[in-house]
Amino acid sequence: MSVKLLHVISQSAGLNALCGDIVNSYFNAFTTKKMYAVAGPEFGPGLEGKVVVICKALYGLATLCAQFHNHLSDMLRGMEFKPTQFDCDVWIRLRVDKKSYEYICTHIDDFCIFSKQADNVMAQIKAAYTVKSVGPPKYYLGNYFKCSTKGRWHMGCKKYITKEVTRVQMMFGNLVKRDTPMAVDNHPEMDDSEVLNGADHQKYQMLLGMLNWIVILGRLGIACAASLFACFAVCPRKGHNTR
C-alpha cells in the first residue's frame, strides 16, 4: 500500500522513480547475538575442529532480517532521511532547495526511490552497498508497472498471480475455476478430517503466505477467505487443504 501511495505522490509532485536490489544484503550487517560454531572440513585443515565466532548476520540466523534492517536504517539516517509516522519503512528527506521532499521505501533488500534527482540518491546508496537491477519500476514486490502515453502509471499483480498459480498446480494438480473465492456452503470450522502431516502443513502455510501477499498487492476480494483459513494455520486438516 505504501508503494502505491508513493506513486500517487510522485505523479502529483513530478518525482522520478528508481528501483534497486541490494546484493548479499545480510552480509553487510553484524549480529548482536553471541554465537559460535565448530569448523568442519570445509574450513580447511588449519581451522577444522576449532571454534569459530559468528560476527556477521549470516543466512539462517533467527535475527538476520532485524540486523540488516537496523544496518540499512542507520545508513538512511546518515543520508538525513527519517522514517515516516505511517510506515517505518518509508523514509523522507527535505531536498536541498527546501521546495520538495524525497522518499525511499524499503522491503528487506529491495528499495524504490522517489525524487527529482533519483540518480543522485541512488549514487549515495551505491556508495554503501552493491546494488543490482537498477532502473524505473517495471516489476516490484509482485506488482508490475506500466506507464501510458499520457504519463499515467498502471499497476497490477497478474504476473505474480499467474506465476504462483502455475507453482501451485505443479504441486497439487490443476485447479478448478470458481466464480467466488469461497463457496456459500463452505464451513472450514466444521471440518473433522485428518490433521495434516509435517510436509503438508508446510505447504498449507506456504499457500496462506501466497494468499496474504496477493491481498496486500490489492486483490481484496479474497481477504475474507484468506483470513478464515489462516485461523487454522497452527493445526490444519486435509479438508482445509483441498477447499
Side-chain angles (χ1 to χ4, degrees), residues 69-108:
H69 185 274
N70 293 337
H71 189 276
L72 180 60
S73 298
D74 291 339
M75 191 275 294
L76 292 175
R77 289 190 179 94
M79 294 170 57
E80 298 184 355
F81 279 90
K82 296 180 180 179
T84 58
Q85 294 184 357
F86 82 94
D87 189 340
C88 62
D89 287 323
V90 174
W91 299 75
I92 187 172
R93 178 178 74 177
L94 184 65
R95 288 192 60 200
V96 178
D97 58 11
K98 297 183 179 181
K99 293 182 179 180
S100 61
Y101 289 93
E102 298 172 311
Y103 306 86
I104 297 179
C105 63
T106 63
H107 181 77
I108 308 178

Side-chain angles (χ1 to χ4, degrees), residues 8-185:
V8 174
I9 294 173
S10 67
Q11 288 299 302
S12 176
L15 306 180
N16 299 318
L18 198 60
C19 296
D21 183 6
I22 299 174
V23 179
N24 295 328
S25 53
Y26 297 143
F27 295 153
N28 293 282
F30 290 86
T31 180
T32 57
K33 302 292 183 180
K34 294 182 179 180
M35 290 177 285
Y36 71 94
V38 178
E42 65 274 9
F43 283 82
L47 292 176
E48 184 178 0
K50 294 185 178 180
V51 175
V52 293
V53 179
I54 300 175
C55 298
K56 290 283 188 175
L58 302 180
Y59 287 88
L61 300 181
T63 60
L64 81 166
C65 289
Q67 298 305 324
F68 175 71
H69 185 274
N70 293 337
H71 189 276
L72 180 60
S73 298
D74 291 339
M75 191 275 294
L76 292 175
R77 289 190 179 94
M79 294 170 57
E80 298 184 355
F81 279 90
K82 296 180 180 179
T84 58
Q85 294 184 357
F86 82 94
D87 189 340
C88 62
D89 287 323
V90 174
W91 299 75
I92 187 172
R93 178 178 74 177
L94 184 65
R95 288 192 60 200
V96 178
D97 58 11
K98 297 183 179 181
K99 293 182 179 180
S100 61
Y101 289 93
E102 298 172 311
Y103 306 86
I104 297 179
C105 63
T106 63
H107 181 77
I108 308 178
D109 54 0
D110 295 306
F111 64 92
C112 193
I113 302 167
F114 298 89
S115 169
K116 290 188 176 181
Q117 296 179 328
D119 291 332
N120 293 343
V121 181
M122 180 63 75
Q124 289 182 279
I125 297 177
K126 284 185 174 181
Y129 301 109
T130 302
V131 182
K132 67 176 182 179
S133 304
V134 177
K138 293 182 179 179
Y139 186 75
Y140 183 70
L141 300 181
N143 268 325
Y144 68 86
F145 297 84
K146 183 179 180 180
C147 187
S148 67
T149 56
K150 296 182 179 180
R152 298 174 180 174
W153 283 95
H154 303 267
M155 64 180 65
C157 53
K158 182 178 179 180
K159 183 176 180 180
Y160 175 82
I161 294 175
T162 302
K163 182 184 71 173
E164 295 305 317
V165 167
T166 302
R167 181 182 174 190
V168 171
Q169 289 186 146
M170 291 177 61
M171 298 174 60
F172 299 97
N174 293 331
L175 301 178
V176 179
K177 291 187 178 181
R178 305 284 187 181
D179 295 329
T180 58
M182 283 184 59
V184 178
D185 57 348

